[in-house]
Amino acid sequence: MTSHATPARASSTYGAKAVQIAASKQGAPYAYGAAGPKIFDCSGLTLYAFRKAGRKLPRTAEQQYKSTRHIPRTERTPGDLVFFPSGDTMGHVGIYAGDDRIWHAPRPGTRVRLERIWRGDARYTRAN
């Protein structure tokens, strides 16, 4: 799959803008509970990017997962949310950038970055 979305499978308008906003935060430091504009945790980055794009999301990864439309991996397009389960909850979230990569705020001691999806059990949603 290429990183270019076809019209029939295009991400939401919010998602396309959110990718650009997340990318503009590359290098911002991680801090637990931070939601920008200069410091982020994982769900704080998605919350910030989508809010700036015009779509309100809840605060935590789990709440974001529950409040967005679940889609199969085969339908993911840039701007979709990518979740990583941790036990019975969603422990991490990022924004799909295409080419099997996400923008995310990984963990303490790291910075916002573009990274390859590292787990096969990732789940995908769309914030329409």
Side-chain angles (χ1 to χ4, degrees), residues 107-119:
R107 64 192 159 277
T110 65
R111 295 178 177 271
V112 172
R113 65 186 181 210
L114 182 65
E115 188 168 19
R116 230 174 232 304
I117 295 171
W118 60 94
R119 286 176 41 186

Side-chain angles (χ1 to χ4, degrees), residues 22-103:
S24 78
K25 296 302 177 180
Q26 182 173 9
Y30 179 102
Y32 183 77
K38 297 182 180 190
I39 303 169
F40 301 91
D41 69 6
C42 68
S43 58
L45 178 65
T46 56
L47 172 83
Y48 178 86
F50 275 87
R51 183 176 66 229
K52 289 291 189 181
R55 169 66 157 85
K56 185 175 166 101
L57 290 176
R59 178 60 182 98
T60 69
E62 179 69 12
Q63 292 166 339
Q64 290 175 10
Y65 182 73
K66 289 180 176 178
S67 72
T68 52
R69 186 169 59 90
H70 299 194
I71 59 171
R73 181 185 187 280
T74 56
E75 290 182 18
R76 67 186 182 174
T77 59
D80 289 334
L81 292 167
V82 183
F83 294 88
F84 299 88
S86 178
D88 292 336
T89 188
M90 290 300 152
H92 188 66
V93 62
I95 302 172
Y96 188 63
D99 295 327
D100 211 31
R101 297 176 302 163
I102 62 168
W103 283 105

